[in-house]
Amino acid sequence: QCVLTGQWVNDLGSNMTIGALNGKGEFTGSSHTAVTATTNEIQLSPLQGSQHRINQKSQPTFGFTVNWRFSDSITVFTGQCFVDEDGKEVLKTMWLLRSRVDNIKDDWKATR
């Protein structure tokens, strides 16, 4: 069974901590990215999310939001927790990062 709770590190050296799920499948935690486009000092940033809880599947789907404390942006992640052939827990995710822009004409370049 794959469990989200704990510490995770990605291939680029970013890390996050996910706290225990509550009865609704919600969780909080923190994220520290190793990759950024800003010159600001990277800071530990809060995350909050939820895990899909129907039937208590062993490789659950989930989603969470990180509100970056060092930049004017937010990233949403969605993914699934897997146990690979070696028994290692792995998170596979996709993300969208939204940066603030000064006006609606620049909306096209605000999401990556």
Side-chain angles (χ1 to χ4, degrees):
Q1 179 169 344
C2 196
V3 178
L4 289 179
T5 302
Q7 295 190 340
W8 298 90
V9 179
N10 74 7
D11 296 339
L12 300 174
S14 298
N15 61 72
M16 71 176 174
T17 301
I18 296 178
L21 276 65
N22 68 17
K24 296 178 183 177
E26 301 163 336
F27 57 87
T28 60
S30 60
S31 181
H32 191 269
T33 186
V35 180
T36 183
T38 181
T39 58
N40 298 341
E41 179 183 350
I42 296 173
Q43 298 177 28
L44 189 65
S45 298
L47 68 80
Q48 56 185 342
S50 62
Q51 174 182 309
H52 198 271
R53 307 260 311 161
I54 302 253
N55 297 326
Q56 299 293 314
K57 299 291 185 192
S58 63
Q59 298 189 118
T61 56
F62 61 89
F64 61 89
T65 302
V66 179
N67 186 354
W68 302 109
R69 287 199 168 147
F70 60 91
S71 69
D72 200 0
S73 61
I74 290 181
T75 303
V76 293
F77 293 82
T78 186
Q80 186 170 354
C81 189
F82 290 100
V83 177
D84 70 13
E85 58 275 358
D86 297 323
K88 181 180 177 184
E89 294 174 320
V90 177
L91 302 184
K92 288 295 194 177
T93 63
M94 296 293 289
W95 55 268
L96 286 173
L97 179 139
R98 176 67 189 216
S99 298
R100 189 192 67 80
V101 291
D102 290 327
N103 62 63
I104 197 167
K105 292 178 184 175
D106 291 330
D107 181 66
W108 66 272
K109 65 180 179 180
T111 301
R112 289 187 267 189

